[in-house]
Amino acid sequence: MFTSGVLDAFLKNNIKFPYVIGVSAGAAYGISYVSEQFERNKIVNLKYTADSRYMSWGNWVRKGSLFNWDFVYGEIPNRLVPFDFEALVNSDTEFKIGTSHVKTGEAQYLSSKEMNKKQLLTALTASSSLPLVSKMVNMDGELYMDGGLADSIPVEKAFADGYGRAVVLLTRNKDYIKKSARFKRLIKLRYRKYPKLVELIFTRAFRYNKTLELLEKMEGDGKVYIIRPQAQMDVSRTENNPHKLDQLYLNAYKEGEALVPDLKQWLANHDCA
């Protein structure tokens, strides 16, 4: 929701990019920015995050996932709050979704320019499928999960794809340090057939914090423009209180509006992704 608030401020101020990459919720919310659907994520939040069809332990019992992906990436984008797939396809922006390959432990990035609508929604599902509370997602016979496991902040991928500078949108405060995974025994047991996935989960915090150190250096070198929450966010990873989420969105939108002049000046002085 912080991401969607800032990106809606970008849309309002006609700030666009040739390349956008996201993982997990960043991909799920960032895609509406590329299709230029102002406030679409806000509408989904207010109408459906408190709906048991969207997220509930009942879903986990019945379907093996806390989130009902048939509803989240089926009924909502296809019927209830339609996603403009045609706008995405026709956009000058390339949108990439980061996923984690369960067997190899490697990050795999899927481009909007190379997927049809069904493949796109499956990729978003895979990127958002968190360990323990979601099933693995099968794409073309291979299993994938949460894109954040292999590459939580894919800035290096953006640079590898040929962009010399980047705007990086983070969802944690400046002093945030990711802690090691909990429930390690359960994770080892649940994913005992997938040692590379277990390794990803156990090393994620270390790699995430190293990326933060890299970003700080890049920021000092003028290679990245970092946007992050200014105030502490009073929400959990699986927050479903629509009023809390809406307040987070509004705060993020205001923060996005406030930084627009400085960001535009930075963009004018740099070629960036």
Side-chain angles (χ1 to χ4, degrees):
M1 289 308 296
F2 178 81
T3 299
S4 65
V6 172
L7 293 181
D8 272 352
F10 284 6
L11 287 177
K12 196 72 171 181
N13 289 277
N14 198 35
I15 296 176
K16 302 175 184 178
F17 303 90
Y19 174 102
V20 175
I21 185 169
V23 300
S24 197
Y29 283 62
I31 198 168
S32 294
Y33 163 71
V34 180
S35 64
E36 298 187 33
Q37 291 180 265
F38 182 74
E39 291 192 340
R40 180 179 180 274
N41 293 322
K42 179 182 179 181
I43 293 168
V44 171
N45 161 57
L46 289 176
K47 286 189 173 182
Y48 299 111
T49 52
D51 190 318
S52 61
R53 293 174 295 174
Y54 189 99
M55 178 177 65
S56 70
W57 290 111
N59 293 331
W60 188 77
V61 172
R62 291 188 299 271
K63 293 176 172 287
S65 176
L66 184 66
F67 297 90
N68 179 355
W69 299 126
D70 292 333
F71 183 72
V72 175
Y73 290 130
E75 197 166 350
I76 290 178
N78 286 312
R79 188 175 67 84
L80 299 175
V81 189
F83 174 74
D84 193 342
F85 183 74
E86 185 176 350
L88 177 72
V89 171
N90 294 328
S91 174
D92 292 332
T93 299
E94 180 180 18
F95 180 69
K96 285 198 171 180
I97 301 169
T99 62
S100 300
H101 193 288
V102 167
K103 290 184 179 179
T104 67
E106 296 177 351
Q108 182 164 330
Y109 310 92
L110 305 164
S111 172
S112 60
K113 302 299 184 184
E114 300 171 355
M115 291 185 285
N116 59 36
K117 186 176 183 179
K118 182 178 180 181
Q119 291 170 327
L120 176 76
L121 294 174
T122 301
L124 288 173
T125 302
S127 189
S128 303
S129 293
L130 305 175
L132 298 181
V133 296
S134 297
K135 287 182 177 180
M136 299 173 186
V137 175
N138 188 314
M139 291 193 295
D140 299 323
E142 300 292 333
L143 297 174
Y144 298 87
M145 290 200 81
D146 176 18
L149 297 176
D151 192 1
S152 296
I153 311 171
V155 64
E156 290 185 278
K157 175 60 178 173
F159 279 73
D161 281 346
Y163 294 93
R165 286 172 171 77
V167 174
V168 181
L169 180 50
L170 303 177
T171 56
R172 296 290 188 173
N173 306 89
K174 187 173 176 58
D175 58 351
Y176 175 76
I177 298 175
K178 182 171 282 296
K179 297 178 181 178
S180 298
R182 298 181 295 166
F183 311 116
K184 289 188 175 181
R185 289 185 180 180
L186 179 58
I187 290 168
K188 283 183 177 180
L189 178 64
R190 177 73 177 273
Y191 301 117
R192 58 191 178 277
K193 296 181 180 179
Y194 307 100
K196 293 293 186 180
L197 177 63
V198 173
E199 183 181 354
L200 276 185
I201 297 171
F202 287 178
T203 62
R204 183 187 183 189
F206 174 79
R207 290 180 287 107
Y208 181 98
N209 294 329
K210 281 294 183 182
T211 302
L212 290 180
E213 292 177 8
L214 175 64
L215 284 172
E216 186 172 353
K217 182 179 185 303
M218 286 182 171
E219 186 179 37
D221 293 338
K223 291 184 177 180
V224 299
Y225 187 101
I226 299 176
I227 301 168
R228 49 163 60 94
Q230 297 303 303
Q232 190 68 33
M233 296 189 295
D234 183 29
V235 296
S236 69
R237 290 183 71 190
T238 55
E239 184 66 65
N240 70 340
N241 182 323
H243 301 294
K244 277 189 175 183
L245 292 172
D246 190 47
Q247 188 59 54
L248 174 56
Y249 168 89
L250 292 172
N251 290 342
Y253 184 84
K254 290 177 183 177
E255 290 182 21
E257 283 277 9
L259 62 80
V260 162
D262 185 62
L263 175 58
K264 283 189 172 181
Q265 183 176 358
W266 190 87
L267 293 173
N269 293 331
H270 301 84
D271 292 323
C272 68

